[in-house]
Amino acid sequence: MSGFPDPRLPSWLIQNSVDIGLVLALTYLMLLVIGERRTLWMVRGLIILMLAAVISHKLGLTLLSFVLEKLVLGSAVAMAVIFQAEFRRFLEQLGQGHLLQLFQRRSPAPKPDNVIDEIVDAVKELSQNRTGAIMVLETASTVDTRVFVNGGVGINGEVSKELIQTIFQPKTLLHDGAVFIRGSRIVSAGVILPLSERTASRQLGTRHRAAMGITERVENCICVVVSEETGSISLAERGLLNRPLTSSKLKELLEERFSPSVEREAVAPGLGRFSLLLEPVVEFTSSIFKKKK
């Protein structure tokens, strides 16, 4: 009887294939919800810990298995705390049956040409007058303002050259902080940003270190800086400074950065086809939720 194949083998393969597929789907959803490339390494680290825990359990390494299981649990809790806003949005969409929205590619929020013009014109004059300034511009998704050291003072005004110049006048109370811009509105001013811990050039002041610091911690924003000492213009993104820039080069970079036709870098590289395979399943699940409503 040993020469005959095990009749349970097909069911075992199906069960394990479904199990692995569901884990991959859940991992991919987590990457889409969080939406930041730096978290890809965190998720990979968590998966490695999980695999190590399973292997140690299968090999009978009791103590190692116990330690790894505790590490997995602690890492999962830490990620849930760090990305609580993203997970809350995921649970809301899951409960509403809007799963398909999670697979839609995110693109930078397009800014009207006049908004970019207003920002560039303000930066140009601030540069000529050697008036220090720093502006945080929200891009692909909502910035969690809790990352700011101090949220500043609410403005909620339309972006304009005059308003930006007024805020950064040395005699105003808000000139030392940053301006936070979302879409076509100035959300707040006098914002205190976290400083970068990198070793920077002595030529770079506090504003440049703050621009590097916020873009290191938050990928869905860019930062425009005007040096108070030299009047030079800089653009910070992902912790890196592009400097010195002319006003025309700044405008070109902003238009490129906020162009809706520019496809953003994939959060989960190599899984694009996987998302296409999942879309029919997601549509079917979403339709079930809607019918129940």
Side-chain angles (χ1 to χ4, degrees):
M1 297 295 290
S2 60
F4 292 96
D6 189 348
R8 294 175 296 177
L9 185 59
S11 61
W12 180 85
L13 285 174
I14 293 173
Q15 183 179 0
N16 281 272
S17 299
V18 171
D19 192 14
I20 294 172
L22 290 175
V23 170
L24 288 175
L26 182 60
T27 303
Y28 184 65
L29 284 174
M30 288 172 61
L31 294 175
L32 287 176
V33 169
I34 295 172
E36 294 184 12
R37 175 169 285 276
R38 65 188 173 90
T39 59
L40 174 61
W41 308 112
M42 296 177 63
V43 174
R44 284 182 177 178
L46 180 61
I47 292 174
I48 291 172
L49 283 177
M50 293 172 64
L51 290 175
V54 172
I55 292 172
S56 62
H57 179 72
K58 293 293 185 183
L59 294 177
L61 305 176
T62 308
L63 182 59
L64 180 60
S65 176
F66 174 79
V67 173
L68 288 174
E69 285 177 2
K70 299 304 178 184
L71 282 175
V72 169
L73 180 60
S75 301
V77 172
M79 289 183 64
V81 171
I82 295 171
F83 303 110
Q84 55 181 313
E86 288 79 2
F87 281 117
R88 183 172 63 248
R89 183 171 63 87
F90 168 72
L91 292 175
E92 288 175 355
Q93 292 187 348
L94 184 65
Q96 295 171 2
H98 298 160
L99 300 183
L100 193 59
Q101 294 179 5
L102 297 174
F103 292 91
Q104 296 175 352
R105 287 188 174 182
R106 296 178 182 178
S107 59
K111 289 189 184 301
D113 292 338
N114 64 315
V115 173
I116 294 178
D117 290 338
E118 293 288 334
I119 294 174
V120 172
D121 288 344
V123 168
K124 183 178 180 180
E125 293 205 14
L126 291 168
S127 174
Q128 291 173 348
N129 298 328
R130 293 193 176 184
T131 302
I134 177 170
M135 288 171 275
V136 180
L137 280 62
E138 188 178 81
T139 56
S141 57
T142 303
V143 171
D144 188 352
T145 56
R146 288 175 298 181
V147 75
F148 299 153
V149 176
N150 187 307
V153 177
I155 301 295
N156 194 26
E158 286 289 334
V159 172
S160 69
K161 167 187 168 183
E162 293 77 14
L163 181 55
I164 293 174
Q165 287 181 309
T166 301
I167 290 172
F168 288 113
Q169 288 306 308
K171 294 183 179 181
T172 63
L173 296 175
L174 302 176
H175 78 281
D176 276 336
V179 161
F180 177 44
I181 298 176
R182 172 179 291 156
S184 61
R185 304 192 71 81
I186 296 178
V187 177
S188 54
V191 177
I192 307 301
L193 304 176
L195 300 181
S196 174
E197 297 179 356
R198 294 183 184 180
T199 303
S201 170
R202 293 182 180 179
Q203 298 177 351
L204 301 180
T206 305
R207 288 187 177 90
H208 294 89
R209 291 180 58 202
M212 293 168 62
I214 188 62
T215 54
E216 283 173 359
R217 291 166 174 79
V218 182
E219 289 194 354
N220 52 319
C221 75
I222 57 177
C223 210
V224 179
V225 183
V226 178
S227 172
E228 186 174 357
E229 295 182 358
T230 64
S232 65
I233 303 170
S234 307
L235 181 69
E237 183 172 12
R238 298 186 180 183
L240 301 176
L241 280 175
N242 188 349
R243 61 184 292 269
L245 301 174
T246 62
S247 57
S248 58
K249 182 61 177 179
L250 175 65
K251 181 178 180 180
E252 179 185 333
L253 291 174
L254 291 180
E255 288 177 343
E256 178 183 341
R257 187 63 179 79
F258 290 101
S259 172
S261 61
V262 177
E263 290 190 359
R264 302 304 303 148
E265 191 176 19
V267 175
L271 292 177
R273 294 180 181 178
F274 180 63
S275 65
L276 295 177
L277 294 175
L278 286 177
E279 282 188 5
V281 178
V282 174
E283 289 180 351
F284 176 73
T285 307
S286 300
S287 64
I288 292 176
F289 273 101
K290 291 178 181 178
K291 286 180 180 178
K292 287 183 178 181
K293 293 178 182 179

